[in-house]
Amino acid sequence: MLFVGHISIAFLLTYAISKKFVLKDVSISFVMFLSTLPDVDLVFRLLGIEFGHRSITHSTIIWTIVALAFLAKYRRTSVAVYSLAYLSHIIIGDLLVGPINLLYPIGDFVVSGGIRFGTISDIITEGVLFAIMAILIIMENFYKDNSRQHTLLLHYSTLDRFFYPLLITEIIISPIFVLSDRFQDFSN
């Protein structure tokens, strides 16, 4: 799955949670960034450092470490949302499009979904997820219901100044990545 799909999944999960709980101290841009963080291995690959895509950064072992790090810094609700964002990349996003070893490097528990990465089904799925996210953002920001304001989308965090430009870059990169000659190199 590309950045667009991961960002959309994390946003939709956080949006659903925010309908039940008030998430005043959660940065939505940080949530969406965390959903793409496991793919930092691709950045290392571009820099010539190879440790395998969908290996250590896509492991539930690393997810546990990230969750524990959040516990030291944030409130429980925030920790749950931030941890879920990272985990959504692994369990929902990448599980849909290919095999992944959830216990890397200490064991083998390989799971796989039914959609192949880079196929028309994958691209349509990501496009639909992105469209749903965009519709929700537009509805929340332009359709004003005075009886209920959605604090998730109206809250602005200091983290947002850094992460929103990064997310816009990731969204722009996704279609360029698909159209590039190097696309096949990263599908493993």
Side-chain angles (χ1 to χ4, degrees):
M1 186 164 273
L2 299 170
F3 293 137
V4 169
H6 292 301
I7 289 168
S8 300
I9 289 170
F11 175 86
L12 294 171
L13 287 171
T14 305
Y15 183 82
I17 292 168
S18 74
K19 289 298 221 180
K20 180 78 172 161
F21 304 101
V22 176
L23 302 177
K24 288 184 179 180
D25 58 347
V26 172
S27 165
I28 193 66
S29 67
F30 190 48
V31 164
M32 292 189 295
F33 170 75
L34 287 170
S35 72
T36 63
L37 190 57
D39 280 341
V40 72
D41 55 6
L42 296 175
V43 174
F44 286 116
R45 184 184 286 182
L46 288 172
L47 298 173
I49 303 167
E50 180 65 49
F51 52 84
H53 184 50
R54 294 188 182 155
S55 60
I56 192 73
T57 59
H58 288 70
S59 168
T60 54
I61 306 302
I62 295 299
W63 170 76
T64 303
I65 292 167
V66 169
L68 290 173
F70 287 145
L71 271 174
K73 172 100 172 126
Y74 299 104
R75 291 183 31 214
R76 284 189 195 195
T77 307
S78 300
V79 170
V81 171
Y82 291 149
S83 299
L84 181 62
Y86 189 96
L87 189 62
S88 74
H89 180 108
I90 301 164
I91 300 296
I92 300 171
D94 281 355
L95 178 66
L96 286 174
V97 296
I100 190 163
N101 182 4
L102 296 176
L103 296 179
Y104 185 90
I106 63 169
D108 288 326
F109 185 64
V110 178
V111 291
S112 183
I115 301 173
R116 292 279 305 148
F117 177 75
T119 63
I120 193 71
S121 298
D122 175 30
I123 293 167
I124 289 171
T125 300
E126 292 191 53
V128 167
L129 289 168
F130 186 74
I132 293 169
M133 179 182 75
I135 289 167
L136 286 173
I137 290 170
I138 290 167
M139 287 175 53
E140 289 293 333
N141 285 305
F142 295 109
Y143 176 73
K144 302 291 185 199
D145 179 4
N146 294 332
S147 65
R148 175 155 164 94
Q149 289 283 330
H150 210 274
T151 59
L152 172 69
L153 298 176
L154 298 176
H155 177 70
Y156 188 75
S157 165
T158 55
L159 294 172
D160 294 336
R161 287 187 204 119
F162 176 76
F163 288 110
Y164 275 130
L166 186 62
L167 291 167
I168 291 167
T169 303
E170 288 178 342
I171 290 169
I172 291 169
I173 287 172
S174 284
I176 294 170
F177 184 70
V178 170
L179 298 172
S180 76
D181 294 338
R182 300 193 70 186
F183 175 67
Q184 294 303 321
D185 296 340
F186 289 101
S187 63
N188 298 328

